[in-house]
Amino acid sequence: MMSRTPRITCLAALFALFPLSALSWATPPVLPRVVLISFDGFRADYVDRPAAVHLRRLAARGVRADRMIPAFPSKTFPTHYTLVTGLTPEHHGIVANVMRDPELGLFRSSDTLAIWEPRWWSGEPIWVTVETQGRRAATYFWPGSEAAIGGVRPSWYERYEHTRPNAQRVQRALEWLAMPADSAPAFIALYFSDTDDAGHRYGPTAPETDAAIARVDSALGALMDGVDRLGLREAVNIIVVADHGMTESSRERVIVLDDYLDMGTVDVVDYTPVAAIAPRDGNVERVYQALVGRHPHLQVYKKGSVPAAYHFNAHSRITPIVAVADEGWAITDRAALALRAPPVVGGQHGHDPALVSMGAVFVAAGPGIAQGRRVPPFRSVHVYSLMAYLLGVRPAATDGSIDSVRALIRTRASSSP
Ligand code: AMP
Ligand code: ZN
Ligand code: ZN
């Protein structure tokens, strides 16, 4: 755990930044805070599974979206970084969990040195916005939070450790919340991986996934109870999101690239369900023609012609050819098939974000959030704008907008008497 010497927050500057509509001047102003919680791979409809009791309790006090539409590709690193920057991957630069940069080389989400390297991470994450405007931020695991982006890290952050007990994560968040108001972090991020792990291994509808839902839901329950015990319900906005959903995989739905391509002529930087392909001799047309229209469940695009809805053309880390498997289909090659045991029938994600199965949970409640409302699907690119609004900080320029998520905000008219 990293920490910095406490400092006095400049309250005058803060109040100048506050959205006045979020405050009632009849009572002493409280500094609004945001706790952003990610349940990896928590598909939107999991909220209705029996185990999600605390999540429904939170939704009853606040808002629930039918689903939140993730960024493309719907993978952990690109989508988490979109949530905190308000930028699409073609603008924030984390275009996949595995990617190649002409200067920086290879990035893998499992490579500690790469995730610490600020040159991979563009844009301004909300913790940087907060820290550079006189308040503090704390993250308990979030892609990007270990790099000094623009020279700034959260005042507190943790090095990623997959098996760190959930209870320890919640405990630490409650310690941050219990700090004196003028030094406590205004923004806290928390991450839990159980639902992604179980979804991949057993599939989205498996009983093991229900057990994972129960585990992350009880972590949320502990956090909500802790916030209440600290008397902070009217100061803390709790936002629960996921990075993407999950769909069933099958050993019958596999696209083998060698059936169409000589694998010696291409670099496949990332495989499935979005294959990032770079022809070694630069002959894009040859590789494109070899793949396009050849498999009924593989959509093949040249860079620059990827559908506009994917927002996936502009960055130098996007390969000349992008091939996207239809829902439930996976992309592989013979070498990988020979090396690995046949894929277990579990779950996967990464597909078209517009698919209902890729839809992520969004549930939030707190002093700045509308009460008892269910809202239609919206894109995760707007969550940064929402958080900046709730915190009263000046937002950086993004691909999102507060106007797209007004329905989530508590206005005088929508607040309870
Ligand atoms: P995905 O299959 O795209 O959902 O990737 C999920 C995996 O990303 C998790 O199982 C973790 O191993 C990894 N992961 C999630 N957050 C982080 C992080 N902050 N740092 C490193 N790895 C992470
Ligand atoms: Zn994920
Ligand atoms: Zn996953």
Side-chain angles (χ1 to χ4, degrees):
M1 198 271 300
M2 310 291 131
S3 79
R4 245 165 37 190
T5 1
R7 70 185 167 209
I8 309 283
T9 311
C10 178
L11 288 176
L14 256 176
F15 289 128
L17 294 168
F18 265 28
L20 294 181
S21 59
L23 290 175
S24 156
W25 294 105
T27 50
V30 279
L31 300 177
R33 306 192 209 173
V34 167
V35 178
L36 177 68
I37 304 172
S38 167
F39 294 158
D40 199 317
F42 197 106
R43 201 168 72 182
D45 65 308
Y46 289 1
V47 181
D48 295 316
R49 300 271 275 267
V53 284
H54 299 297
L55 203 44
R56 286 192 296 273
R57 177 157 72 94
L58 191 70
R61 305 210 306 245
V63 293
R64 168 182 175 183
D66 290 341
R67 67 181 197 278
M68 184 171 64
I69 301 163
F72 176 87
S74 49
K75 290 276 192 160
T76 296
F77 267 56
T79 53
H80 270 98
Y81 201 52
T82 288
L83 281 160
V84 294
T85 57
L87 297 173
T88 56
E90 69 174 355
H91 292 145
H92 67 48
I94 304 298
V95 300
N97 286 348
V98 181
M99 59 185 170
R100 199 183 290 281
D101 180 275
E103 276 160 32
L104 301 174
L106 192 66
F107 177 100
R108 285 178 180 283
S109 54
S110 54
D111 174 353
T112 320
L113 287 180
I115 65 175
W116 288 343
E117 170 55 64
R119 285 177 295 167
W120 284 106
W121 309 86
S122 301
E124 182 176 299
I126 188 74
W127 56 79
V128 174
T129 310
V130 165
E131 293 272 349
T132 54
Q133 293 184 36
R135 299 180 79 187
R136 309 173 92 187
T139 51
Y140 210 119
F141 303 154
W142 201 279
S145 63
E146 295 177 51
I149 298 165
V152 180
R153 283 196 182 98
S155 288
W156 300 267
Y157 68 95
E158 294 279 332
R159 294 200 172 147
Y160 189 70
E161 195 185 293
H162 195 75
T163 53
R164 185 81 55 85
N166 290 350
Q168 227 169 297
R169 308 179 193 196
V170 172
Q171 184 53 39
R172 188 73 187 108
L174 289 173
E175 285 166 17
W176 284 324
L177 286 166
M179 290 172 65
D182 63 353
S183 55
F187 171 79
I188 295 173
L190 268 170
Y191 167 85
F192 300 92
S193 64
D194 305 53
T195 38
D196 186 68
D197 296 340
H200 280 298
R201 192 137 185 224
Y202 305 104
T205 59
E208 289 88 347
T209 301
D210 282 298
I213 293 169
R215 287 196 298 278
V216 296
D217 186 76
S218 66
L220 172 65
L223 186 91
M224 289 167 68
D225 293 345
V227 167
D228 286 353
R229 263 198 316 277
L230 292 166
L232 290 174
R233 197 191 275 203
E234 283 314 307
V236 176
N237 297 287
I238 300 176
I239 303 176
V240 178
V241 295
D243 48 351
H244 50 72
M246 190 69 69
T247 193
E248 270 91 10
S249 50
S250 158
R251 68 193 80 184
E252 267 76 63
R253 294 193 297 266
V254 179
I255 300 161
V256 183
L257 286 179
D258 331 37
D259 289 350
Y260 315 102
L261 279 181
D262 173 354
M263 299 305 285
T265 66
V266 289
D267 287 321
V268 184
V269 182
D270 196 12
Y271 266 88
T272 188
V274 177
I277 304 172
R280 289 203 179 136
D281 64 359
N283 191 339
V284 176
E285 191 59 29
R286 180 184 51 77
V287 175
Y288 176 73
Q289 291 303 335
L291 284 175
V292 70
R294 298 294 302 280
H295 191 290
H297 295 289
L298 186 68
Q299 315 309 321
V300 184
Y301 309 106
K302 283 191 240 177
K303 183 176 181 176
S305 303
V306 178
Y310 290 173
H311 302 278
F312 200 71
N313 285 299
H315 206 280
S316 59
R317 295 172 195 157
I318 298 173
T319 49
I321 293 180
V322 176
V324 185
D326 287 352
E327 180 169 20
W329 285 80
I331 304 170
T332 188
D333 62 22
R334 297 230 170 273
L337 277 180
L339 273 177
R340 281 180 221 133
V344 281
V345 182
Q348 62 187 53
H349 56 83
H351 305 279
D352 181 352
L355 289 165
V356 173
S357 63
M358 293 300 106
V361 65
F362 180 95
V363 172
I369 304 284
Q371 291 169 294
R373 212 178 260 176
R374 178 113 184 209
V375 302
F378 66 88
R379 291 172 60 211
S380 68
V381 79
H382 305 300
V383 171
Y384 171 94
S385 306
L386 173 69
M387 295 191 295
Y389 173 85
L390 293 171
L391 289 162
V393 291
R394 248 184 341 272
T398 67
D399 296 319
S401 75
I402 190 68
D403 286 335
S404 305
V405 283
R406 288 244 175 248
L408 304 173
I409 294 169
R410 193 187 301 190
T411 58
R412 283 214 173 84
S414 73
S415 64
S416 48

